[in-house]
Amino acid sequence: MDSEWDKLTLAFSRTSMFPFFDIAHYLVSVMALKRQPGAAAEARKNPLSSWFTAMLHCFGGGILSCVLLSEPLLRFLANSTNVLLASSIWYIIFFCPYDLVSQGYSFLPVELLAAGMKEVTRTWKIVGGVTHADSYYKNGWIVMIAVGWARGAGGSVITSFEQLVKGSWKPEADQWLKMSYPAKVTLLGSVIFTFQHTKHLAISRHNLMFVYTMFLVATKITMMITETPTVSFAPFEDTLSRMLFGWQQQFSSCEKKSETKSSFNGTGSSTSKPIADASDKIKKKHIKKTE
Amino acid sequence: MDSEWDKLTLAFSRTSMFPFFDIAHYLVSVMALKRQPGAAAEARKNPLSSWFTAMLHCFGGGILSCVLLSEPLLRFLANSTNVLLASSIWYIIFFCPYDLVSQGYSFLPVELLAAGMKEVTRTWKIVGGVTHADSYYKNGWIVMIAVGWARGAGGSVITSFEQLVKGSWKPEADQWLKMSYPAKVTLLGSVIFTFQHTKHLAISRHNLMFVYTMFLVATKITMMITETPTVSFAPFEDTLSRMLFGWQQQFSSCEKKSETKSSFNGTGSSTSKPIADASDKIKKKHIKKTE
Amino acid sequence: MDSEWDKLTLAFSRTSMFPFFDIAHYLVSVMALKRQPGAAAEARKNPLSSWFTAMLHCFGGGILSCVLLSEPLLRFLANSTNVLLASSIWYIIFFCPYDLVSQGYSFLPVELLAAGMKEVTRTWKIVGGVTHADSYYKNGWIVMIAVGWARGAGGSVITSFEQLVKGSWKPEADQWLKMSYPAKVTLLGSVIFTFQHTKHLAISRHNLMFVYTMFLVATKITMMITETPTVSFAPFEDTLSRMLFGWQQQFSSCEKKSETKSSFNGTGSSTSKPIADASDKIKKKHIKKTE
């Protein structure tokens, strides 16, 4: 029975992303672009700019990975087949009569299928990034995590930057710093696959790929059906942040107990934030005074 | 007689850009910089920054091409002769007593000659970019177009970015997206030379270079004499955009005929824009409401 | 006696930066980050972002040098030991109970020692940058100066850019253009070491390294004790700027003597600025009118 499982996961890990999964990825990316306000109008006014933005959405992770490793940024354009595929999808989504494609995509099962398939490509990208980074620096495990992460979740970073340059997006410290759910889950995957690659994790790659992909697809589809914006990592994050960054509070709280008495009624994160915010405000006041 | 023509164009295509055409290019670029408001004052306050900006204006296309192919950005500095030439021109333009050079340049025939010679370097840059990109990716024709375009017209992109970083230029979506006339004509040239390079265009390179350069110089000089800001590609663009992006309107117009009845009185572009603008406005209103 | 001196400087120039000088560099960089308003609060809210900023502060020069030469930006992450060292220092500075490290660092002798040791790493970085650039372009002396400068003083550029992207820093033309004291002194060092490297300066490298480092450390410690923000290069800069950019004023002043009569009472820089400002204002007015 174990060999049956192995056969299944091995076959799964050898699935080619081209063309169906790639198409799903381009479809989801371009639809996300089209649902931005003003995107459809802009596409009619300036098709070249819209096409360029669509390419950034589709190939953003690869471009960011190229930036980080200083490989030619235009390498994605060299793969003419994929560029033409993405361009065709951009074209039919934006310029199809009666908006047929958009309307078909709004049908929930179609959207679920496309989103699920897009998540599959994420695993492949992470694995590709980790393996690629390994060929640069032997045992440079931090580089491997970073490149895997960039490939898997870099599209959002690139598009934020693109909007910054266009002027349609004003950066705010808070927004930029908060990691989105895909960024978090991709970071987790990148760490796991890096440990697998450096033989610190005693699991074969195809098994890990299968398990991680199933996890991605399952959470994504659950999120879409229940319409929750994110699956919360909060308990896990709280524990980790309490272990790493919260234990000092016990010392400080001994000192100024009266001040932070109510701190330990709630969970770690809900208490640490008000304190941080308060000290932030005090500092800002301080600056205003000194100015 | 055909061989005479061939000899002429071949000799023309072998003309060395260094030093006279390069000087004309630096002269036009730095004069464009000096005519920006505040540039002369800035040069006195902070010569190093002014020099740096001047270098960006002179070598912008090459730098952008290096960014896209991830070659060392400082490669342009390695060519000490050209850097010193450009620096000298920057120096005499900004710091010449009585502003002699600027006044000499204001004399129309001089300006025409310099502008014409600068356009010649554009052809050489496009051809250089296309050939250079070909050595990276065999048959990566999209890369070839992009690099040729970047080399030929990249200066304006780099300088916009430089102003963005300096804070003296607020990006607006519209301004950034609209392509300038040089950008358009360089894109056209880049496409043509790429097709020539991939043997899809049955014309020898030196002939094409001669014809394209003559076209560039003629339009540029016409534009300067008649003081029109651009030679309009509007009819050509309209036809193209109608073919590619306008045909869907026929379908939609059948449906909501009463609404867009007046759409087909004018040309394609003049009609598609109001519609796009209108839908844009509606969307923006919608956003304001939901906020 | 001369050989004793040689022995001393040779031994000095062979000192390894790792680990003590590197630690001092990371300590000073991260403390500079922590003293920024809101940094401590941000570290609790979003440790990953704070860690990333700290790494930019610590490895900024190296990253900028990689950008300029298009080497993999993540190369600094491949040196796991140094990254872990910097991370540990970031961790104990931001999350040590009772803020012990910050308080210990506030003790002046400790701060002086750390700052002095950080200046020593600057020399090593400049020399490293110059040598590294030389391996790219033989006799590309402008590239050598630029890379040496980027390695030695690039941290501030990278962090400005990082703040620009985060949105917490609005660029103003003036602020960006003014070079800080470290930037100036690093540029000077980069020029000197480049001339030494190209054999235009008849002094052995280890002697030069010793002298330059002593100069850096002495000025830094003097500045910290006397609490002057910068050691002024003003007289030297004035002379240079008068030689290069001021002599034209004599010509112009002959013409409009009545206007700029008071120009030659003060030093070059103090006189040239008001003129420049004035002409700047006039131009700005002119623009407003034409708008």
Side-chain angles (χ1 to χ4, degrees), chain B residues 27 31 34-35 92-93 96-115 224:
Chain B
L27 191 68
M31 280 309 301
K34 201 189 171 186
R35 282 170 179 183
I92 58 167
I93 284 180
C96 185
Y98 304 114
D99 233 2
L100 278 180
V101 178
S102 302
Q103 283 176 21
Y105 184 79
S106 308
F107 184 50
L108 191 63
V110 175
E111 207 171 341
L112 284 181
L113 182 70
M224 285 175 75

Side-chain angles (χ1 to χ4, degrees), chain A residues 183-203:
Chain A
K184 276 180 191 163
V185 89
T186 310
L187 178 59
L188 183 72
S190 191
V191 170
I192 293 174
F193 280 106
T194 301
F195 281 151
Q196 196 278 329
H197 199 89
T198 54
K199 317 274 178 214
H200 287 98
L201 219 66
I203 182 171

Side-chain angles (χ1 to χ4, degrees), chain B residues 50-277:
Chain B
S50 171
W51 174 80
F52 184 71
T53 313
M55 291 304 106
L56 279 185
H57 274 252
C58 289
F59 300 100
I63 295 173
L64 187 65
S65 142
C66 284
V67 170
L68 292 180
L69 292 173
S70 285
E71 292 170 345
L73 305 190
L74 292 178
R75 207 179 48 185
F76 79 94
L77 287 177
N79 190 347
S80 303
T81 322
N82 275 31
V83 173
L84 289 180
L85 195 62
S87 303
S88 318
I89 286 165
W90 164 78
Y91 187 76
I92 58 167
I93 284 180
F94 274 96
F95 299 106
C96 185
Y98 304 114
D99 233 2
L100 278 180
V101 178
S102 302
Q103 283 176 21
Y105 184 79
S106 308
F107 184 50
L108 191 63
V110 175
E111 207 171 341
L112 284 181
L113 182 70
M117 283 170 86
K118 182 196 153 90
E119 291 305 310
V120 174
T121 66
R122 197 186 294 279
T123 312
W124 263 247
K125 280 179 195 157
I126 296 172
V127 173
V130 167
T131 319
H132 184 66
D134 188 43
S135 67
Y136 267 78
Y137 300 109
K138 283 290 148 210
N139 300 319
W141 54 274
I142 312 181
V143 180
M144 287 158 76
I145 293 175
V147 175
W149 193 19
R151 281 257 181 111
S156 58
V157 174
I158 285 273
T159 35
S160 298
F161 195 76
E162 181 243 337
Q163 288 178 314
L164 173 70
V165 167
K166 269 193 190 163
S168 57
W169 180 73
K170 296 288 160 231
E172 279 169 42
D174 280 304
Q175 211 176 345
W176 185 263
L177 300 178
K178 264 181 218 152
M179 280 207 287
S180 61
Y181 170 74
K184 276 180 192 164
V185 89
T186 310
L187 178 60
L188 183 72
S190 192
V191 170
I192 293 174
F193 280 107
T194 301
F195 282 150
Q196 194 279 328
H197 199 89
T198 53
K199 319 273 178 214
H200 287 98
L201 219 67
I203 181 171
S204 64
R205 176 177 296 179
H206 52 268
N207 279 333
L208 189 59
M209 279 171 79
F210 187 77
V211 172
Y212 180 69
T213 310
M214 286 305 112
F215 168 70
L216 278 183
V217 173
T219 50
K220 180 79 192 174
I221 288 179
T222 315
M223 274 161 58
M224 285 175 75
I225 290 175
T226 59
E227 291 186 349
T228 47
T230 58
V231 167
S232 185
F233 281 137
F236 175 70
E237 276 172 24
D238 272 4
T239 317
L240 196 71
S241 103
R242 215 171 181 173
M243 269 167 60
L244 286 174
F245 311 114
W247 56 271
Q248 301 88 345
Q249 305 237 330
Q250 295 179 319
F251 292 88
S252 22
S253 65
C254 296
E255 230 174 321
K256 39 180 178 169
K257 221 171 188 174
S258 61
E259 217 181 333
T260 57
K261 212 174 180 179
S262 61
S263 288
F264 292 90
N265 296 336
T267 63
S269 82
S270 65
T271 54
S272 67
K273 268 176 194 167
I275 296 171
D277 286 350

Side-chain angles (χ1 to χ4, degrees), chain A:
Chain A
M1 196 212 127
D2 191 65
S3 84
E4 286 297 309
W5 168 261
D6 256 9
K7 264 186 202 165
L8 171 71
T9 55
L10 205 62
F12 176 76
S13 75
R14 280 174 187 160
T15 314
S16 169
M17 284 301 105
F18 182 82
F20 299 114
F21 290 89
D22 279 341
I23 288 176
H25 170 61
Y26 302 147
L27 191 67
V28 174
S29 305
V30 178
M31 279 309 301
L33 171 65
K34 203 192 169 183
R35 282 171 179 183
Q36 283 175 13
E42 193 194 295
R44 278 181 198 283
K45 267 199 295 183
N46 196 328
L48 198 75
S49 152
S50 171
W51 174 81
F52 185 69
T53 313
M55 291 303 106
L56 279 186
H57 274 253
C58 289
F59 300 100
I63 296 172
L64 187 64
S65 142
C66 284
V67 170
L68 292 180
L69 293 171
S70 285
E71 292 169 346
L73 305 191
L74 291 179
R75 208 180 45 184
F76 79 94
L77 287 177
N79 190 346
S80 302
T81 322
N82 275 31
V83 173
L84 288 180
L85 195 61
S87 303
S88 317
I89 286 166
W90 163 77
Y91 186 76
I92 58 166
I93 283 180
F94 274 96
F95 299 106
C96 184
Y98 304 117
D99 233 3
L100 277 181
V101 178
S102 302
Q103 282 176 22
Y105 183 79
S106 308
F107 184 50
L108 191 63
V110 175
E111 208 170 343
L112 284 181
L113 182 70
M117 284 170 87
K118 182 198 154 88
E119 291 305 308
V120 174
T121 66
R122 197 186 293 280
T123 312
W124 262 246
K125 279 178 196 156
I126 297 173
V127 173
V130 168
T131 318
H132 185 66
D134 188 45
S135 67
Y136 267 78
Y137 301 109
K138 284 289 150 208
N139 300 319
W141 54 275
I142 312 180
V143 180
M144 286 157 76
I145 293 175
V147 175
W149 193 19
R151 282 257 181 110
S156 59
V157 174
I158 287 275
T159 35
S160 297
F161 195 75
E162 181 244 335
Q163 287 178 315
L164 173 71
V165 168
K166 267 193 194 166
S168 59
W169 181 74
K170 295 287 160 230
E172 281 169 41
D174 280 305
Q175 213 178 344
W176 185 264
L177 301 177
K178 263 181 219 153
M179 280 207 285
S180 62
Y181 170 75
K184 276 180 191 163
V185 89
T186 310
L187 178 59
L188 183 72
S190 191
V191 170
I192 293 174
F193 280 106
T194 301
F195 281 151
Q196 196 278 329
H197 199 89
T198 54
K199 317 274 178 214
H200 287 98
L201 219 66
I203 182 171
S204 64
R205 176 178 296 180
H206 51 269
N207 279 332
L208 190 59
M209 279 171 79
F210 187 77
V211 172
Y212 180 68
T213 310
M214 285 305 113
F215 168 72
L216 278 182
V217 173
T219 49
K220 180 78 192 174
I221 287 179
T222 315
M223 274 162 58
M224 285 177 74
I225 291 176
T226 59
E227 291 186 348
T228 47
T230 58
V231 166
S232 185
F233 281 136
F236 175 71
E237 277 173 20
D238 273 3
T239 316
L240 196 73
S241 105
R242 216 171 180 171
M243 269 167 60
L244 287 174
F245 311 114
W247 57 269
Q248 300 89 344
Q249 305 236 330
Q250 295 179 319
F251 292 88
S252 22
S253 64
C254 296
E255 233 174 317
K256 38 179 179 170
K257 220 173 187 173
S258 61
E259 218 181 330
T260 58
K261 214 175 180 179
S262 60
S263 289
F264 293 90
N265 296 336
T267 63
S269 80
S270 65
T271 55
S272 67
K273 267 176 194 167
I275 297 171
D277 285 351
S279 69
D280 202 17
K281 272 179 201 162
I282 290 163
K283 280 202 179 161
K284 274 178 187 163
K285 266 185 195 166
H286 187 68
I287 296 158
K288 273 192 183 165
K289 273 180 191 164
T290 54
E291 266 170 2

Side-chain angles (χ1 to χ4, degrees), chain C residues 249-263:
Chain C
Q249 305 237 329
Q250 296 179 319
F251 292 88
S252 21
S253 65
C254 296
E255 231 174 317
K256 38 179 177 169
K257 220 173 190 173
S258 60
E259 217 180 331
T260 57
K261 213 176 183 180
S262 60
S263 288

